[in-house]
Amino acid sequence: MSTDATHNSSSTAGEIEKAFDPKLLVFCCNWCSYAGADLAGVSRLQMPPNFRVIRVMCSARVDPEFVLRAFERGADGVLVAGCHPADCHYIGGNYRTRRRIALLKMLIQQFGFDPDRLKLEWVSAGEGEKFQKTIVDFTNTVKELGPSPYRGGV
Ligand code: FES
């Protein structure tokens, strides 16, 4: 009897762990990454359905406040996707983004978040497979990190 109870409690913990489905927010720039995401979709590449995309004109449009607010509201991970270096349609937007994300990673650490919960990736319009792989890898990374410390709101 006690063995069953022990078994049941450990399997319940395992089920909760397995059941953790991270909520990811993905900012895609209009000119490259959004088209890459679209290509992944129309190519029917398999991706976990746990992410929501917000299209912005350029990755540099992603204000640090957007990222902090996403975490505050329970996102387990935030991905910012933009054009490859030198391909930004606003000349140097993605260079600004790269610096901003590096600073934001340090900032979110101060709030108790693992910096790996924030990711920057370059995805061009023709890289549907890269978009898919990025989503799959990021989902796995965040799954390993577990639920956000702010999950459920503050
Ligand atoms: S337009 Fe894509 S990163 Fe600037």
Side-chain angles (χ1 to χ4, degrees):
M1 184 76 174
S2 64
T3 311
D4 280 352
T6 308
H7 176 74
N8 283 345
S9 66
S10 67
S11 69
T12 305
E15 284 165 16
I16 290 169
E17 239 172 60
K18 271 186 204 162
F20 170 54
D21 198 16
K23 290 194 285 183
L24 306 180
L25 192 63
V26 181
F27 292 99
C28 286
C29 85
N30 182 60
W31 302 103
C32 286
S33 307
Y34 190 80
D38 196 36
L39 180 61
V42 297
S43 305
R44 298 187 180 274
L45 301 177
Q46 291 298 305
M47 286 180 281
N50 57 311
F51 67 97
R52 295 291 176 270
V53 173
I54 295 179
R55 177 161 44 168
V56 289
M57 291 309 286
C58 175
S59 63
R61 180 64 185 89
V62 180
D63 192 290
E65 193 183 334
F66 298 172
V67 174
L68 297 177
R69 191 166 292 178
F71 283 125
E72 182 197 36
R73 294 193 176 178
D76 298 302
V78 176
L79 169 68
V80 178
C83 306
H84 284 268
D87 286 348
C88 174
H89 287 53
Y90 301 95
I91 318 287
N94 49 8
Y95 294 121
R96 286 169 193 248
T97 305
R98 184 160 56 192
R99 290 194 294 270
R100 193 175 288 162
I101 295 294
L103 288 171
L104 265 170
K105 277 176 172 275
M106 287 193 273
L107 185 64
I108 65 171
Q109 238 176 332
Q110 302 299 313
F111 289 105
F113 287 90
D114 191 300
D116 287 346
R117 289 187 187 276
L118 175 61
K119 184 176 175 66
L120 172 65
E121 193 61 76
W122 309 131
V123 180
S124 77
E127 292 180 321
E129 282 184 24
K130 181 173 182 184
F131 183 83
Q132 177 223 22
K133 188 178 178 324
T134 300
I135 292 294
V136 170
D137 290 350
F138 191 44
T139 299
N140 290 335
T141 299
V142 175
K143 263 188 181 172
E144 277 176 26
L145 293 173
S148 158
Y150 277 41
R151 207 168 223 226
V154 285

